[in-house]
C-alpha cells in the first residue's frame, strides 16, 4: 500500500500522540505489527486495517550497537514488554510481526529476536527500502540516519537498485559534541535532541 508524504506525516503525528499510552482502547479487526530494534531504542507499533497507528511503544535501550545485537537476552525482554503493553492496551493477542534491519547487515539481527520469543515473522526488509516501497519513490535516494548506522537506498523505476549501510549515526554525532564541548556523552545526547541555545550546528 503506497501513501503520500502528507499521509505519512499525519500518521507519524498520530503515532507521536499515542506514544507509550497504555490506557485501554476498544479495538477489533485486522492489525499489522512492526518491531524495530535500533541502536538507541526499540519500537513496537500496531496499525489497524486502515494503516493508522493504534498502539505505539518505545523503550530506550542499548541492546544493539552498529547493526549488531550485543545483548540478546535484554533485547528479548524489551520486545516481550512492549508486546505485553500493546496486547493489554488493545485487548488482543499478538502472534506475528514484521521487522526491518540496517542495509548490508544480516536480517537475523531482528528476526532471531522475534522468533525466539514465539512470534512469526511476516516480513523483513532493510530500513531505507521500507520507506522507498511505502512511498513508491522513483529516482530517489532514501537516507536513514539511525543511532549507530546510516542506511542509504537508491530507487529507480520503483525498484531499489542500491542499498548500503555505513557504521556512523547519531551516537557518533553525540560523541563529537561531547568531545568538542568537553561534556559527558549523556549531556551531549541531551544537547543534540534539544539543540536550541547550545549552538551545536556550528560544528557542521
Amino acid at each position: 500500500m503506497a501513501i503520500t508524504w502528507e499521509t505519512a506525516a499525519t500518521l507519524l503525528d498520530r503515532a507521536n500522540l499515542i506514544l507509550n499510552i497504555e490506557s485501554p482502547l476498544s479495538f477489533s479487526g485486522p492489525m499489522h505489527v512492526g518491531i524495530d530494534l535500533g541502536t538507541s531504542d526499540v519500537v513496537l507499533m500496531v496499525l489497524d486495517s486502515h494503516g493508522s497507528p493504534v498502539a505505539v511503544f518505545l523503550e530506550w535501550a542499548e541492546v544493539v550497537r552498529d547493526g549488531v545485537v550485543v545483548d540478546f537476552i535484554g533485547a528479548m525482554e524489551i520486545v516481550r514488554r512492549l508486546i505485553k503493553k500493546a496486547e493489554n492496551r488493545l485487548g488482543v493477542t499478538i502472534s506475528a510481526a514484521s521487522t526491518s534491519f540496517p542495509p548490508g547487515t544480516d536480517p537475523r539481527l531482528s528476526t532471531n529476536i522475534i522468533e525466539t520469543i514465539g512470534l512469526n515473522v511476516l516480513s523483513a526488509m532493510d530500513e531505507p527500502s521500507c520507506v522507498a516501497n511505502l512511498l513508491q519513490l522513483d529516482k530517489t535516494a532514501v537516507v536513514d540516519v539511525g543511532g549507530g548506522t546510516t542506511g542509504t537506498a537508491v530507487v529507480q523505476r520503483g525498484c531499489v537498485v542500491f542499498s548500503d549501510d555505513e557504521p556512523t549515526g547519531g551516537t557518533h554525532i553525540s560523541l563529537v559534541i561531547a568531545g568538542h564541548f568537553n561534556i559527558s556523552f549523556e549531556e551531549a545526547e541531551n544537547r543534540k535532541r534539544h539543540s536550541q541555545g547550545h549552538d551545536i550546528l556550528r560544528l557542521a
Side-chain angles (χ1 to χ4, degrees):
M1 178 185 70
I3 63 175
T4 64
W5 286 101
E6 292 76 14
T7 300
T10 298
L11 293 174
L12 288 173
D13 286 341
R14 163 67 178 166
N16 186 56
L17 287 174
I18 63 172
L19 177 63
N20 289 334
I21 299 297
E22 299 186 40
S23 55
L25 176 71
S26 178
F27 177 81
S28 62
M31 62 181 173
H32 308 279
V33 181
I35 298 172
D36 177 63
L37 288 92
T39 301
S40 302
D41 55 53
V42 179
V43 179
L44 179 144
M45 183 181 295
V46 182
L47 307 179
D48 63 17
S49 59
H50 302 291
S52 181
V54 290
V56 184
F57 293 99
L58 177 151
E59 186 169 326
W60 298 107
E62 296 182 352
V63 294
V64 176
R65 188 171 301 146
D66 297 337
V68 178
V69 176
V70 295
D71 183 357
F72 193 87
I73 300 300
M76 287 174 51
E77 291 175 347
I78 291 173
V79 174
R80 280 198 182 104
R81 281 198 296 272
L82 299 186
I83 289 172
K84 189 63 176 178
K85 289 180 179 181
E87 290 180 332
N88 289 342
R89 171 170 165 80
L90 302 176
V92 299
T93 298
I94 294 174
S95 59
S98 297
T99 189
S100 59
F101 56 92
T105 65
D106 194 328
R108 289 176 294 181
L109 160 73
S110 299
T111 59
N112 281 352
I113 300 291
I114 295 172
E115 290 174 339
T116 301
I117 64 173
L119 298 185
N120 294 321
V121 177
L122 295 180
S123 62
M125 181 181 292
D126 74 75
E127 293 151 350
S129 296
C130 289
V131 176
N133 288 340
L134 180 65
L135 297 174
Q136 291 293 290
L137 301 177
D138 188 26
K139 297 180 180 178
T140 304
V142 178
V143 180
D144 174 23
V145 181
T149 61
T150 296
T152 303
V154 178
V155 184
Q156 186 174 9
R157 295 179 180 176
C159 297
V160 176
V161 296
F162 173 81
S163 182
D164 197 13
D165 197 55
E166 291 292 330
T168 302
T171 298
H172 304 84
I173 295 173
S174 297
L175 289 171
V176 170
I177 295 171
H180 179 82
F181 291 105
N182 193 28
I183 57 178
S184 69
F185 177 83
E186 290 74 20
E187 174 61 20
E189 186 75 9
N190 182 63
R191 290 192 184 188
K192 182 183 70 178
R193 296 181 187 180
H194 309 283
S195 60
Q196 290 184 347
H198 294 302
D199 196 24
I200 64 172
L201 292 180
R202 63 187 174 88
L203 299 180

